[in-house]
Amino acid sequence: MSGQGAQDAKFFQRGKIQEFRAELQAAETKDKKFTKRKTVLKKIVANITMGNDMSPLFNDVIQCLSIPSLEIKKMVYLFLVCYGRSKSDQIRLVMPSFLQDCEDRNPLIRALAIRTMSYIPAPIVVEELEDPLRHALKDRDPYVRKTAAICVAKLYNADPRKCERNGFVELLRDLLLDTNATVVANAVAALTEIGDRQDGVIFKLNLTVANKLLAALGESSEWGQIYILDSLLRYVPEKHEDAELMAERVIIQLQHANSAVVLTTIKVLLYLMNYMENRRLMDYICKKMGPPLVTLLSSGPEVQYVALRNILLIIQRRPQVLKNDVKVFFCKYNDPIYVKLAKLEIMYRLAREENAREVLAELQEYASEVDVDFVRKAVRSIGRLAIKVQPAADDCIKALLDLIETKVTYVVQEAVIVIKDVFRRYPGRYEGIIPTLCANLDALDEPESKAAMVWIVGQFADRIENADELMDDLTYTFLEEPTEVQFALLSAAVKTFIYKSQSETIKALVHKVLKWATEEVDNPDLRDRGFMYWRLLALSPAAASEIVLAEKPAITTDADRMDRGALDQLLLHTGTLGSIYHKNPETFIRGATGKALTDSPALNPLSRQVLVPVARTHLLPPTTIRVPGPVDPRVANPPSPVLPPRQNGASLPTAVAPSASQDSTAASPVTQDLLGGEEDGDGEGDTEDHEHEDLARAQAVAPASDPYAALDSAFGGHLAGEPRPQHNGDANDDLLF
Amino acid sequence: MISAFFIFNQKGEVLISRLYRTDLKRSIADVFRIQVVSNSDVRSPIITLGSTSFFHVRINNLYIVAVTKCNANAALVFEFCYRFISIAKSYFGKVDEEAVKNNFVLIYELVDEICDFGYPQNSEADTLKSYITTESVMSTNIAPEESSRITVQATGATSWRRGDVKYKKNEAFVDVVETVNLSMSAKGTILRADVDGHILMRAYLSGTPECKFGLNDKLVIDKNERGTADAVELDDCRFHQCVRLNEFDSSRTISFIPPDGEFELMRYRATSNVKLPLKVIPSVTEIGTTQVQYVVTVKTNFSNKLSATNVVVKIPTPLNTTTVDCKVVSGKAKYVPAENVVIWKIPRIQGGQEATFSAHAALTSTTTRQVWARPPIDVDFQVLMFTASGLIVRFLKVFEKSNYQSIKWVRYLTKASGSYQIRF
């Protein structure tokens, strides 16, 4: 333990430039073994760390380069890396020293010199670096060559055209065939970096080179293996056998201790499988991928998180992977919250009839935990499980009712939200629990749950005896409610009215609500909807009934799954940030290049059919774009009758009469208000985001043009808290530092 | 790739700041401080703001942070942070604020060496120590020939081992450490029981030894000797980079040239026939709203020649507990209000024996009657010379051209820490 003796903590003190300068000058005399200057330099480095600007000491510090001590040299170099760029004039003074080091007999010194120089992208340094770098790329020492390879990437970053003109890219390409695996790996890393740039040289591999790289794989360090494996995605197999052979060669890397090697290997395998034909081999690969993925869950929590987010993608594309392993995703009580949430999502995905009972028992357990967000998602998952696995629905509903019993407000609210969906999935099966829900009306104080409850009351108004009273209660605060709830109330009031047209309460109520919606509310969409209902009721109550209570298709969990083409594309980013956010990098990282499967004779026909071309770069992140403006009433209208309106057929004619009798008062204001409303609307022009569940779900059927439109709702629109990159709102979404 | 590497202390002060790329400035550290260090509710180890992503790993009172501006390989970034921690441990023994501050110059040297332009480079502690040391051992007076040897090794096929290792006594110690994960439902059914095994090796062997390592791996035994009962089914194995994966793939032999000193040779996972060393039988009754009655029995489930040591049972109590009256025959039990648990410590339980805890918790009456979440009982323990999976090291053979004799030692340890959970 060589370091235990060090006592450098005392240097972490703010110091003044003048003092340091004086100390450095004083240290020039009687400085045995240079300890005095070492001490001052340490103080300076500590101050750089603390964020104090030490650049005024530039000239004083570079004086120390003449001292024959590697420790001092490294500190001075660190100083130069920090301030070299801003002192492009004075940097000239250190060039002789650098160049001398480039010629040193010691390979570590040679490498250190070019490494440090290439960190300083000042024109003069770049200029001076050219010759030594050219030599270094052909140095007899592999350590110097591997350092030089990365230097080319740095140089390219500083001045791409110059780097190309000087032939460095070609030299780098030659290093791909170097005898030393570490050199090869760094050359691959550098070429990848250059190839990923928008203005960079295209970096592709043919079979010969790819095979050469594979040969270097065995001798590379773990990091080198990652760079090499990663680059294999730049090779496009032309024949099924090529892909199959390559997969057989990389599959052993799944046994590596480094999780990044494992995930990158999986990325390569998933990629190659698109070009394979041999079903047995593909099944074998899928079987082989499962255990290493599970083992990643015994790594640190951060790596677990990365693995879990990737597993979520992988099992959607290759469902046979891990299909019998739902138990390993059960949450431990002390898992970090991000691990728990990611596991929850996978548990839901892996739930089937055979394991639904176990999964449900777990979800019930989680529903009593402490973290509110986790509990809510657990409750939602119970509902989603009911929707997904029909035979488990009864048990799930029972579990939800038990949870409602707890009276914990956020649990009750989540339960109500999912039960609404359960009603739509299984029309006519669970309406018996409506009274229990109604008993908990007071607990609902969040827009989403309130809207869900209002929808239920409106939808089943014919079954709820006191629906009119409930509606009266609910609409009491109509004008203070959030838009989402107002929409629900408006529709529910109309439905209740159609069901119970005799009730005087409801007659007055619907009138009141329509009047509020059209006269008092600022939201133009809500106003429009109000007018639409009003006219509908006025002109043809029968048509109103048919439209408002029209039979809607029962919901399914089909929309939960991501589109195959989108998945194929996302899986090209396995292990990276994109795979964590489930977004293509070009949509949230400035300057990132998109990836797409490349067509070749070997590409399997289905993959070709759903092939997604690379999106244009610099697209605005799709997440921030919500559909503002007019809401399509067919879609945004939460009511979606489960019961055919015919049941009420007998009362329909009478339903017409009252509304007609109101018409003398109601119909004429409509036209007036309509005009007035439009004027208001023009004046204001502000639109709000409507995040209706129904809207999200309806859009889940992705329009062909944008395969990612479905992505946000790929989780049933449930996961508001999905991990995602944050944006600052303005178009210039980057941190300007 | 990685644009910057930082170490923060708990207060958000920067202890190490190394920028690898010019696409961001040191002031980015302030963003991390505000977004993560001063945020009491951090819900992800990765935070992406615009195009900038912050990856952090916590260790003791420190944040190890990597910042990227590209679609970085997240697994690689975290592995790099873990690796930094293990290198720091190997150099200074511990990784905390004091150690980082005391060695900051060395750390700057290290982070310059193990990562170039954001691409992790050779990071084997053993090799690093041959040319990055604290007290300026490595100065220009090291002969260039010596440096060449180092560089060849740092970039070579066995980058993890120096060639000139010499020991008087050639010894190798193998530690099989198994961590048992258990989650048992309130009804006593096993929801999940599996073993995370680590095989740690301390090799003090001269020269360039070629090692072969054999386990009672079912796949190997079934092939060779039919009918042997004690084989273990391993779900998955992962190896240190020194192990030749192609040989393992073709014949399941584990052969390698070990690094010098301590390293983790392999990790494995087993899920079938897991022998649970301790059985915990809880009985927890809530009496009305003001009392909870506990009876918890811990039974050992292994030979009476062995014993479980450092047994710590954490028994949760409701949040509104005022006092807990505990009765134990063996060990000590104490109510810890800050954690809402009773901690029952038993220094040793012999095989075949059991221990019982009974207690009575008094609760204050609260106005808001929220249901008690009943977190699981957690048990930590260690059992020496026992493997929950049944794994046995069958042999470790060492071949070296000088043909020396070597002594090998094997130890087994099964333990649980924070992962042995019983619901009630």
Side-chain angles (χ1 to χ4, degrees):
Chain A
M1 303 293 160
S2 40
Q4 272 169 345
Q7 290 296 332
D8 291 348
K10 55 179 179 287
F11 300 126
F12 269 84
Q13 265 177 13
R14 282 182 181 270
K16 289 205 180 77
I17 301 285
Q18 286 308 324
E19 287 169 22
F20 291 143
R21 182 169 291 148
E23 280 180 52
L24 269 179
Q25 278 159 3
E28 275 170 33
T29 50
K30 287 190 191 166
D31 194 5
K32 239 193 196 169
K33 287 186 180 169
F34 322 111
T35 35
K36 283 189 197 165
R37 270 174 283 187
K38 243 179 238 175
T39 306
V40 187
L41 283 172
K42 281 183 182 177
K43 285 185 192 169
I44 294 172
V45 172
N47 271 274
I48 297 176
T49 305
M50 290 187 285
N52 300 339
D53 181 18
M54 292 284 119
S55 60
L57 289 168
F58 197 89
N59 285 330
D60 309 80
V61 170
I62 58 172
Q63 297 302 321
C64 298
L65 265 184
S66 58
I67 301 165
S69 152
L70 188 63
E71 200 186 351
I72 286 183
K73 179 175 289 191
K74 284 188 174 174
M75 283 195 273
V76 177
Y77 279 1
L78 189 65
F79 185 92
L80 291 176
V81 171
C82 289
Y83 301 117
R85 192 158 58 135
S86 58
K87 299 274 177 186
S88 46
D89 288 336
Q90 285 136 297
I91 195 83
R92 205 178 292 275
L93 300 170
V94 291
M95 281 305 130
S97 163
F98 268 134
L99 294 176
Q100 195 187 338
D101 277 0
C102 290
E103 308 272 301
D104 200 282
R105 282 180 63 207
N106 185 333
L108 289 169
I109 301 288
R110 291 203 294 279
L112 181 65
I114 56 163
R115 186 165 74 212
T116 309
M117 283 175 85
S118 55
Y119 271 126
I120 309 168
I124 165 97
V125 187
V126 174
E127 193 81 29
E128 293 285 351
L129 180 63
E130 278 171 27
D131 280 337
L133 180 57
R134 194 165 292 125
H135 286 122
L137 284 165
K138 293 180 170 165
D139 199 287
R140 64 183 182 287
D141 193 287
Y143 185 86
V144 180
R145 291 202 301 278
K146 75 114 185 167
T147 309
I150 298 286
C151 286
V152 175
K154 291 187 222 171
L155 203 62
Y156 200 96
N157 201 31
D159 191 343
R161 300 292 88 84
K162 189 168 202 166
C163 195
E164 284 166 16
R165 269 203 310 278
N166 282 300
F168 283 123
V169 180
E170 283 75 22
L171 286 170
L172 197 55
R173 206 166 281 164
D174 294 345
L175 287 187
L176 286 183
L177 306 176
D178 199 279
T179 48
N180 184 294
T182 308
V183 177
V184 174
N186 273 7
V188 168
L191 281 169
T192 305
E193 164 105 18
I194 292 170
D196 275 345
R197 287 175 62 106
Q198 312 255 327
D199 59 349
V201 176
I202 293 164
F203 176 35
K204 276 187 178 157
L205 296 179
N206 60 25
L207 186 59
T208 326
V209 180
N211 277 329
K212 288 239 160 70
L213 294 183
L214 273 174
L217 200 59
E219 291 197 346
S220 301
S221 76
E222 49 200 313
W223 313 113
Q225 294 191 359
I226 299 168
Y227 309 145
I228 291 177
L229 286 167
D230 206 45
S231 73
L232 293 178
L233 266 67
R234 293 167 187 272
Y235 160 67
V236 182
E238 292 289 324
K239 285 186 289 205
H240 299 307
E241 304 81 65
D242 294 343
E244 288 159 9
L245 268 174
M246 188 171 286
E248 281 169 10
R249 287 180 75 181
V250 299
I251 200 164
I252 54 170
Q253 301 303 128
L254 288 175
Q255 246 69 52
H256 203 287
N258 187 313
S259 63
V261 175
V262 175
L263 274 173
T264 312
T265 306
I266 286 177
K267 169 161 75 176
V268 175
L269 291 172
L270 289 168
Y271 167 72
L272 291 173
M273 279 160 88
N274 292 311
Y275 296 93
M276 287 184 194
E277 192 182 37
N278 183 343
R279 268 256 68 95
R280 273 180 56 198
L281 178 65
M282 288 161 79
D283 289 344
Y284 172 76
I285 294 172
C286 285
K287 213 178 116 211
K288 276 282 215 178
M289 277 193 303
L293 281 172
V294 175
T295 304
L296 292 181
L297 300 185
S298 41
S299 311
E302 296 83 10
V303 166
Q304 285 185 47
Y305 176 65
V306 176
L308 289 166
R309 296 291 300 166
N310 278 285
I311 288 170
L312 194 49
L313 286 178
I314 294 168
I315 57 176
Q316 287 180 71
R317 179 64 181 85
R318 302 277 170 194
Q320 64 269 55
V321 180
L322 298 171
K323 74 168 190 261
N324 296 319
D325 286 306
V326 71
K327 276 187 178 186
V328 300
F329 298 103
F330 288 0
C331 300
K332 296 180 191 167
Y333 189 75
N334 40 358
D335 277 337
I337 183 66
Y338 51 85
V339 167
K340 283 185 177 175
L341 292 172
K343 282 184 175 174
L344 198 60
E345 194 54 39
I346 294 174
M347 282 169 65
Y348 163 73
R349 295 246 164 237
L350 292 177
R352 288 178 289 148
E353 188 178 345
E354 295 80 25
N355 58 25
R357 188 181 290 269
E358 286 169 299
V359 172
L360 176 62
E362 278 298 298
L363 294 174
Q364 280 179 285
E365 195 70 33
Y366 307 155
S368 64
E369 283 201 17
V370 188
D371 189 285
V372 175
D373 190 29
F374 181 56
V375 169
R376 301 185 79 129
K377 288 197 171 126
V379 176
R380 283 205 184 199
S381 300
I382 296 176
R384 294 167 70 200
L385 185 65
I387 293 165
K388 182 179 175 185
V389 185
Q390 189 164 8
D394 282 355
D395 289 341
C396 293
I397 292 293
K398 202 176 151 290
L400 287 173
L401 289 176
D402 288 348
L403 287 168
I404 290 175
E405 282 296 289
T406 64
K407 305 273 180 205
V408 180
T409 47
Y410 54 84
V411 172
V412 174
Q413 310 213 43
E414 285 301 321
V416 169
I417 294 166
V418 279
I419 286 176
K420 182 197 85 176
D421 290 344
V422 174
F423 285 156
R424 290 190 52 186
R425 170 72 174 80
Y426 304 109
R429 243 171 90 179
Y430 297 111
E431 283 79 3
I433 66 172
I434 290 175
T436 320
L437 301 183
C438 292
N440 287 284
L441 254 170
D442 294 339
L444 312 175
D445 53 11
E446 288 164 23
E448 198 185 357
S449 61
K450 205 159 183 180
M453 190 65 214
V454 170
W455 181 85
I456 292 170
V457 173
Q459 188 59 38
F460 303 104
D462 55 331
R463 304 191 167 213
I464 306 169
E465 228 167 78
N466 59 343
D468 43 356
E469 287 165 38
L470 285 176
M471 281 308 296
D472 199 36
D473 257 14
L474 285 166
T475 46
Y476 191 70
T477 50
F478 183 87
L479 289 172
E480 286 93 64
E481 296 290 356
T483 317
E484 186 181 354
V485 180
Q486 289 177 332
F487 270 112
L489 281 170
L490 175 60
S491 300
V494 173
K495 284 188 201 171
T496 317
F497 171 66
I498 292 172
Y499 281 132
K500 304 198 168 192
S501 40
Q502 275 108 342
S503 157
E504 284 304 320
T505 336
I506 198 70
K507 248 186 257 174
L509 179 88
V510 79
H511 188 236
K512 192 168 65 183
V513 171
L514 284 172
K515 221 169 151 57
W516 274 332
T518 51
E519 288 172 19
E520 309 262 335
V521 173
D522 285 338
N523 186 306
D525 297 329
L526 189 62
R527 271 205 313 266
D528 283 354
R529 176 98 60 95
F531 285 128
M532 187 200 72
Y533 280 138
W534 206 327
R535 285 185 156 176
L536 208 55
L537 291 174
L539 295 175
S540 165
S545 151
E546 226 161 282
I547 290 168
V548 175
L549 297 179
E551 191 163 7
K552 279 219 157 181
I555 57 166
T556 64
T557 49
D558 293 345
D560 268 9
R561 254 175 90 169
M562 233 184 262
D563 174 80
R564 158 126 182 225
L567 268 174
D568 277 343
Q569 198 181 11
L570 263 183
L571 284 170
L572 298 174
H573 299 289
T574 303
T576 67
L577 278 174
S579 72
I580 287 168
Y581 297 123
H582 296 178
K583 287 187 193 315
N584 281 314
E586 67 272 21
T587 63
F588 70 99
I589 292 171
R590 180 188 296 184
T593 33
K595 283 189 181 163
L597 280 176
T598 311
D599 199 1
S600 94
L603 186 65
N604 91 45
L606 235 156
S607 296
R608 185 176 300 130
Q609 217 174 355
V610 294
L611 198 74
V612 181
V614 188
R616 278 179 301 119
T617 45
H618 297 302
L619 271 183
L620 274 177
T623 41
T624 54
I625 303 170
R626 292 259 154 66
V627 203
V631 176
D632 181 353
R634 283 165 310 166
V635 185
N637 187 359
S640 51
V642 176
L643 310 166
R646 300 286 173 267
Q647 286 183 345
N648 265 22
S651 60
L652 267 179
T654 38
V656 180
S659 68
S661 70
Q662 278 178 0
D663 270 359
S664 49
T665 51
S668 50
V670 168
T671 37
Q672 282 165 14
D673 280 350
L674 196 58
L675 290 168
E678 269 177 356
E679 276 158 20
D680 277 351
D682 286 341
E684 292 177 36
D686 68 323
T687 47
E688 285 184 45
D689 292 355
H690 306 302
E691 293 189 60
H692 281 276
E693 287 253 17
D694 294 32
L695 179 60
R697 201 166 288 114
Q699 289 188 341
V701 185
S705 56
D706 181 8
Y708 297 101
L711 241 70
D712 283 334
S713 56
F715 304 98
H718 282 308
L719 292 192
E722 268 284 282
R724 61 184 46 188
Q726 300 169 32
H727 290 277
N728 304 341
D730 53 319
N732 199 357
D733 68 314
D734 219 340
L735 295 172
L736 299 170
F737 283 94
Chain B
M1 269 306 136
I2 301 169
S3 287
F5 177 83
F6 293 105
I7 300 180
F8 290 83
N9 67 9
Q10 218 155 12
K11 282 186 261 172
E13 291 164 350
V14 180
L15 305 181
I16 294 290
S17 128
R18 173 66 210 246
L19 306 184
Y20 290 111
R21 288 171 179 248
T22 47
D23 54 5
L24 43 76
K25 294 193 180 128
R26 190 199 169 281
S27 48
I28 200 83
D30 300 332
V31 179
F32 181 81
R33 197 186 64 239
I34 295 161
Q35 292 286 335
V36 177
V37 183
S38 9
N39 184 349
S40 57
D41 190 28
V42 177
R43 301 176 77 90
S44 169
I46 307 174
I47 287 170
T48 299
L49 295 158
S51 301
T52 310
S53 301
F54 299 85
F55 298 71
H56 74 274
V57 172
R58 296 197 67 170
I59 168 112
N60 299 324
N61 45 12
L62 300 175
Y63 292 84
I64 312 294
V65 183
V67 190
T68 70
K69 298 209 60 156
C70 61
N71 183 35
N73 183 332
L76 174 138
V77 175
F78 283 130
E79 284 285 347
F80 176 74
C81 294
Y82 293 166
R83 182 59 51 83
F84 171 81
I85 292 169
S86 75
I87 293 172
K89 264 188 195 139
S90 161
Y91 265 90
F92 335 119
K94 55 177 183 171
V95 189
D96 57 13
E97 182 171 355
E98 197 193 350
V100 169
K101 275 188 162 175
N102 275 332
N103 296 286
F104 72 96
V105 178
L106 176 72
I107 292 178
Y108 274 120
E109 269 189 61
L110 281 171
V111 295
D112 188 46
E113 186 62 40
I114 61 175
C115 189
D116 192 3
F117 202 43
Y119 290 96
Q121 302 290 307
N122 179 33
S123 50
E124 290 297 320
D126 188 44
T127 310
L128 288 171
K129 280 179 182 172
S130 68
Y131 61 106
I132 296 184
T133 52
T134 33
E135 290 313 313
S136 60
V137 175
M138 174 60 200
S139 55
T140 32
N141 50 18
I142 280 197
E145 299 73 45
E146 167 71 2
S147 302
S148 296
R149 200 192 49 67
I150 291 169
T151 57
V152 167
Q153 198 226 315
T155 58
T158 51
S159 59
W160 52 86
R161 188 177 177 91
R162 285 181 278 169
D164 60 342
V165 185
K166 275 198 189 73
Y167 288 101
K168 254 189 200 162
K169 211 160 116 190
N170 287 292
E171 288 181 297
F173 299 87
V174 176
D175 282 337
V176 178
V177 181
E178 296 200 334
T179 306
V180 196
N181 298 307
L182 169 74
S183 108
M184 192 178 267
S185 79
K187 290 178 192 129
T189 50
I190 293 170
L191 297 170
R192 172 180 180 194
D194 54 58
V195 171
D196 280 328
H198 295 245
I199 299 186
L200 307 170
M201 195 166 162
R202 277 170 297 151
Y204 305 113
L205 301 165
S206 311
T208 309
E210 178 65 51
C211 299
K212 258 198 168 139
F213 188 66
L215 301 168
N216 58 337
D217 178 354
K218 196 160 188 257
L219 288 178
V220 177
I221 303 225
D222 281 359
K223 221 188 285 173
N224 302 335
E225 316 146 35
R226 285 225 149 261
T228 323
D230 314 334
V232 168
E233 204 179 317
L234 300 178
D235 287 24
D236 186 37
C237 306
R238 288 167 70 186
F239 297 98
H240 185 271
Q241 58 170 324
C242 68
V243 175
R244 296 185 191 97
L245 295 178
N246 45 357
E247 283 184 35
F248 180 76
D249 188 59
S250 55
S251 60
R252 281 190 87 90
T253 39
I254 303 167
S255 62
F256 57 96
I257 296 169
D260 187 40
E262 189 173 341
F263 69 102
E264 185 181 278
L265 175 65
M266 75 179 271
R267 258 187 247 174
Y268 59 89
R269 210 157 41 75
T271 46
S272 40
N273 302 320
V274 174
K275 282 174 273 180
L276 296 173
L278 294 183
K279 281 223 162 94
V280 180
I281 305 145
S283 149
V284 180
T285 340
E286 286 171 70
I287 306 164
T289 55
T290 56
Q291 294 173 52
V292 182
Q293 195 83 45
Y294 295 89
V295 180
V296 180
T297 307
V298 177
K299 281 187 183 167
T300 57
N301 187 26
F302 46 78
S303 144
N304 48 19
K305 285 180 199 139
L306 307 176
S307 58
T309 53
N310 301 326
V311 181
V312 179
V313 188
K314 285 187 186 165
I315 304 158
T317 54
L319 304 184
N320 55 340
T321 304
T322 48
T323 55
V324 184
D325 179 25
C326 314
K327 285 192 190 72
V328 287
V329 180
S330 41
K332 279 180 192 159
K334 198 179 151 202
Y335 170 51
V336 184
E339 294 176 47
N340 296 305
V341 287
V342 174
I343 295 183
W344 174 27
K345 288 186 182 170
I346 315 164
R348 172 186 292 269
I349 315 178
Q350 204 68 32
Q353 293 184 343
E354 61 175 67
T356 303
F357 160 95
S358 55
H360 183 95
L363 317 178
T364 53
S365 47
T366 49
T367 43
T368 49
R369 207 190 81 81
Q370 175 137 7
V371 191
W372 178 30
R374 287 191 172 224
I377 292 175
D378 181 84
V379 190
D380 293 355
F381 58 83
Q382 297 187 337
V383 186
L384 261 178
M385 300 318 279
F386 174 87
T387 51
S389 66
L391 183 108
I392 295 168
V393 176
R394 291 171 67 226
F395 59 82
L396 169 64
K397 294 176 190 158
V398 179
F399 309 94
E400 217 277 337
K401 53 178 185 288
S402 64
N403 232 346
Y404 54 71
Q405 286 295 311
S406 51
I407 310 163
K408 291 88 141 188
W409 306 87
V410 183
R411 266 197 314 188
Y412 300 95
L413 174 71
T414 290
K415 62 170 188 170
S417 56
S419 60
Y420 205 80
Q421 301 183 334
I422 296 100
R423 297 176 188 166
F424 56 87

